[in-house]
Amino acid sequence: WALKPADDDAAAGLIARFWNLSDTPQDYSISLAGGIAKAAHATHIETDLAAIPVESGQVTSRAAAHQIQTLRVVPAGNAGRR
């Protein structure tokens, strides 16, 4: 739904926001060219809540019906910067 640089600075990764418009929970995955080094669920003001496992450079999550989720993803090339 949206992808932008983190407000902290570019080294803090990217902020991805997803909106499940469905009436049922939906699984989704995120991948980036070059892979993802680490990821976390975050608040709407970009405060990290909980780490999300990264498998094969990809992140998967589940959104409840009508839920908006915010995730921080750090591209593989930026892993040491945050």
Side-chain angles (χ1 to χ4, degrees):
W1 198 66
L3 183 67
K4 69 178 206 70
D7 284 343
D8 306 22
D9 62 65
L14 302 169
I15 298 298
R17 291 198 170 93
F18 298 91
W19 185 7
N20 178 10
L21 298 172
S22 172
D23 291 332
T24 60
Q26 299 292 317
D27 296 322
Y28 64 90
S29 62
I30 308 167
S31 61
L32 301 173
I36 296 173
K38 57 185 174 178
H41 284 283
T43 67
H44 67 287
I45 59 171
E46 302 180 15
T47 302
D48 290 355
L49 296 171
I52 304 170
V54 177
E55 296 179 17
S56 301
Q58 175 173 293
V59 173
T60 58
S61 190
R62 183 173 187 84
H66 306 285
Q67 182 181 24
I68 296 174
Q69 285 189 341
T70 301
L71 281 68
R72 179 186 308 273
V73 294
V74 178
N78 287 5
R81 297 185 190 165
R82 177 154 166 99

